[in-house]
């Protein structure tokens, strides 16, 4: 398996532009997570999906952020409009979670986002 | 109070020594605990998981859990320069899919 695949690896954009980050989870995994990592705040959970359904989006910083998972093999995280404070590394992770037991998260390589 | 707290470090240890990394958590209902290693510029990767009180050993790594004290630690024996990385503690509350990470402890193993 190729693992969790994220694109793009790097994104540089100007303030006010729309940014779309993409993620393909590992086949067979039923849970998908979007995290944001900064030096100051560490790894923050933004949203997670189970069986393509958003379960908890309380970590999404504001309405400018939205995430979708139209099918089991694809998810997007969109920022519109983007702001310089959104600059961070965005990780997607997937897992096979059963009956609420803690399971290993498999992380993608991340997207380094820079908003100028 | 943060849900998961770690000392940011850096923690510097000489090669061959034992490195001890600590983590405390605030949610008493947390049931699953994980240690991830993250090299600079890379994504986190799981190195240990622990679910019950006591010690769990895997090679040079030992995870220790004390639920009464809400404390989990990671010991790395015979530390190597290749162990130099940031170590992230993560907790999962039973019945949820939510994994909360600490900000990580940076470990430097000096050759």
């Amino acid at each position: 398996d190729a693992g969790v695949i994220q694109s793009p690896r790097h994104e540089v954009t100007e303030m006010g532009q729309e940014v779309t980050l993409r993620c393909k989870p590992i086949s067979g995994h039923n849970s998908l997570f979007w995290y944001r990592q900064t030096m100051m705040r560490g790894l923050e959970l933004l949203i997670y999906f189970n069986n393509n359904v958003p379960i908890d989006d309380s970590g999404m910083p504001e309405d400018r952020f939205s995430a979708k998972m139209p099918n089991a093999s694809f998810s997007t995280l969109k920022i519109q409009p983007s702001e310089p404070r959104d600059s961070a590394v965005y990780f997607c992770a997937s897992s096979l979670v059963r009956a609420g037991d803690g399971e290993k998260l498999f992380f993608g390589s991340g997207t380094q986002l820079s908003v100028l | 109070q943060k849900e998961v707290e770690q000392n940011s470090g850096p923690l510097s240890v000489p090669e061959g020594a034992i490195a001890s990394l600590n983590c405390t958590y605030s949610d008493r209902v947390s049931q699953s605990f994980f240690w991830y290693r993250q090299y600079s510029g890379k994504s986190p990767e799981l190195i240990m998981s622990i679910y019950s009180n006591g010690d769990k050993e895997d090679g040079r790594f030992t995870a220790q859990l004390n639920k009464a004290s809400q404390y989990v630690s990671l010991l790395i024996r015979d530390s190597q320069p290749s162990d130099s990385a940031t170590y992230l503690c993560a907790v999962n509350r039973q019945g949820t899919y939510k994994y909360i990470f600490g900000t990580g402890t940076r470990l430097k193993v000096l050759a």
Side-chain angles (χ1 to χ4, degrees):
Chain A
D1 200 315
V4 178
I5 300 173
Q6 290 187 247
S7 64
R9 287 296 306 275
H10 303 274
E11 177 80 29
V12 181
T13 190
E14 293 187 347
M15 182 173 63
Q17 296 298 305
E18 178 179 295
V19 174
T20 299
L21 312 181
R22 297 173 176 79
C23 175
K24 176 179 168 55
I26 292 173
S27 177
H29 282 187
N30 61 0
S31 296
L32 183 139
F33 306 79
W34 282 101
Y35 283 89
R36 176 173 69 176
Q37 188 173 41
T38 61
M39 288 292 291
M40 290 297 295
R41 301 174 67 90
L43 204 55
E44 301 175 278
L45 177 63
L46 300 177
I47 185 170
Y48 64 94
F49 296 83
N50 180 254
N51 292 323
N52 313 336
V53 176
I55 302 299
D56 187 338
D57 65 355
S58 60
M60 297 285 261
E62 46 197 276
D63 291 345
R64 297 184 297 106
F65 287 69
S66 62
K68 294 181 179 180
M69 191 166 186
N71 56 61
S73 59
F74 184 67
S75 177
T76 59
L77 178 68
K78 186 174 293 186
I79 309 172
Q80 167 62 19
S82 58
E83 296 183 3
R85 59 194 168 117
D86 301 330
S87 298
V89 180
Y90 290 79
F91 286 106
C92 175
S94 71
S95 181
L96 178 58
V97 177
R98 291 170 287 237
D101 290 338
E103 295 290 344
K104 175 180 179 180
L105 295 182
F106 293 79
F107 283 83
S109 299
T111 295
Q112 174 74 60
L113 174 64
S114 298
V115 183
L116 307 178
Chain B
Q1 181 186 10
K2 291 182 181 178
E3 292 187 68
V4 180
E5 296 209 50
Q6 297 180 255
N7 188 316
S8 61
L11 172 66
S12 295
V13 300
E15 183 175 357
I18 296 176
S20 178
L21 305 164
N22 304 314
C23 171
T24 58
Y25 59 94
S26 60
D27 187 353
R28 286 193 171 273
V29 190
S30 296
Q31 291 290 327
S32 306
F33 307 86
F34 307 86
W35 284 99
Y36 284 78
R37 177 177 61 201
Q38 185 176 25
Y39 291 112
S40 180
K42 302 296 185 182
S43 56
E45 56 178 340
L46 181 73
I47 52 173
M48 288 286 288
S49 60
I50 186 166
Y51 303 96
S52 55
N53 281 328
D55 295 359
K56 179 182 177 182
E57 187 174 317
D58 183 1
R60 296 187 296 112
F61 299 97
T62 298
Q64 300 175 317
L65 175 61
N66 184 326
K67 290 187 178 181
S69 300
Q70 295 176 242
Y71 177 94
V72 58
S73 65
L74 178 70
L75 301 178
I76 306 174
R77 290 181 299 281
D78 188 23
S79 296
Q80 301 296 310
S82 59
D83 295 326
S84 298
T86 296
Y87 290 80
L88 303 169
C89 172
V91 305
N92 170 249
R93 182 173 183 168
Q94 187 180 27
T96 77
Y97 307 97
K98 202 167 183 175
Y99 297 78
I100 304 299
F101 283 79
T103 52
T105 298
R106 190 156 64 98
L107 173 67
K108 297 173 75 172
V109 181
L110 307 173

